[in-house]
């Protein structure tokens, strides 16, 4: 079911990790200049190539987050995983998230990374933005969380996908940010 078909105020919790638009910023010699091809880690999307112009990507992500907020119940939360992208020696952070009610920013310490560029320290962190529909009404039961701090050290799952999202990360969010019988969208 697509977000646009869901009713307003119908979902308790959303956990998502969109494509990061890495291919839009890749540079290389040869015919395939994609970020994935450069590193031999192609992500098999059916219809998405991960290479939108940055402005269009930011508009797209803003629309998606807006739709997520629309379908959330008043106390609902969106946990949105994203990372900084390095372009021309500088980072592009996912600044569009700050157009919404960012309740907290979690740091996912992946423990390792395949991105080994000699010009940078090895990037091993990503962010999980906890976006609340109504920041003063958020449902949260910290006693059910496996983590007490805002930095979660979780190694990536062993699976063939080059950008695996660990089940324990999503599971922990679901466990502490949803009520029994909640409607969860991922």
């Amino acid at each position: 079911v697509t977000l646009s078909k869901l009713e307003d105020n119908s979902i308790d919790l959303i956990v998502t990790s969109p494509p990061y638009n890495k291919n839009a910023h890749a540079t290389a010699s040869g015919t395939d200049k994609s970020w994935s091809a450069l590193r031999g880690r192609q992500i098999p999307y059916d219809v998405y190539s991960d290479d939108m112009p940055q402005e269009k990507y930011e508009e797209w992500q803003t629309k998606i987050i807006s739709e997520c907020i629309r379908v959330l119940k008043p106390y609902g939360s969106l946990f949105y995983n994203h990372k900084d992208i390095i372009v021309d020696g500088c980072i592009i952070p996912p600044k569009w998230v700050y157009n919404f009610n960012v309740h907290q920013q979690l740091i996912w310490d992946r423990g390792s990374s395949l991105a080994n560029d000699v010009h940078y320290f090895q990037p091993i962190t990503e962010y999980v933005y906890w976006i609340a529909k109504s920041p003063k009404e958020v449902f949260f039961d910290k006693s059910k969380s496996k983590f007490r701090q805002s930095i979660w050290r979780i190694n990536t799952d062993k699976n063939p996908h080059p950008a695996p999202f660990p089940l324990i990360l999503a599971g922990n969010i679901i466990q502490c940010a949803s009520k029994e019988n909640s409607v969860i969208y991922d």
Side-chain angles (χ1 to χ4, degrees):
V1 176
T2 62
L3 279 171
S4 64
K5 294 180 181 178
L6 295 173
E7 291 182 29
D8 293 0
N9 304 306
S10 60
I11 304 292
D12 295 275
L13 175 65
I14 299 172
V15 181
T16 190
S17 180
Y20 296 155
N21 205 38
K22 292 179 184 179
N23 290 348
H25 307 293
T27 57
S29 57
T31 57
D32 189 348
K33 298 181 184 289
S34 72
W35 184 90
S36 299
L38 286 171
R39 286 150 181 88
R41 303 179 325 150
Q42 295 186 339
I43 300 174
Y45 295 110
D46 290 334
V47 293
Y48 181 69
S49 62
D50 205 26
D51 65 352
M52 288 182 171
Q54 187 64 26
E55 183 177 298
K56 294 290 183 197
Y57 178 76
E58 291 180 20
E59 288 173 14
W60 180 51
Q61 290 304 299
T62 299
K63 286 178 185 175
I64 288 172
I65 294 173
S66 295
E67 276 294 287
C68 288
I69 298 300
R70 178 189 66 77
V71 303
L72 283 174
K73 292 179 181 177
Y75 58 82
S77 293
L78 163 64
F79 285 80
Y80 178 86
N81 168 231
H82 212 289
K83 66 188 268 182
D84 295 335
I85 304 300
I86 298 174
V87 179
D88 297 328
C90 296
I91 63 168
I92 297 178
K95 60 186 181 267
W96 55 90
V97 299
Y98 295 107
N99 295 329
F100 302 93
N101 297 320
V102 177
H103 186 70
Q104 187 171 18
Q105 178 179 315
L106 305 172
I107 297 173
W108 168 25
D109 175 354
R110 299 166 45 104
S112 66
S113 172
L114 294 175
N116 287 313
D117 188 316
V118 298
H119 299 100
Y120 304 97
F121 293 103
Q122 186 178 26
I124 62 168
T125 58
E126 295 191 20
Y127 305 103
V128 179
Y129 298 93
W130 180 359
I131 300 171
K133 183 164 190 167
S134 305
K136 294 182 181 179
E137 295 183 45
V138 199
F139 177 80
F140 178 60
D141 186 348
K142 188 175 183 176
S143 70
K144 293 183 177 179
S145 178
K146 292 177 175 41
F147 306 97
R148 297 289 175 234
Q149 295 85 24
S150 61
I151 299 174
W152 298 0
R153 177 134 201 200
I154 306 170
N155 293 334
T156 56
D157 287 342
K158 304 280 190 238
N159 74 46
H161 195 281
F165 188 79
L167 293 178
I168 189 172
L169 193 149
N172 189 68
I173 291 168
I174 292 167
Q175 195 167 349
C176 63
S178 65
K179 300 175 183 180
E180 190 173 330
N181 299 318
S182 288
V183 179
I184 301 168
Y185 191 84
D186 63 351

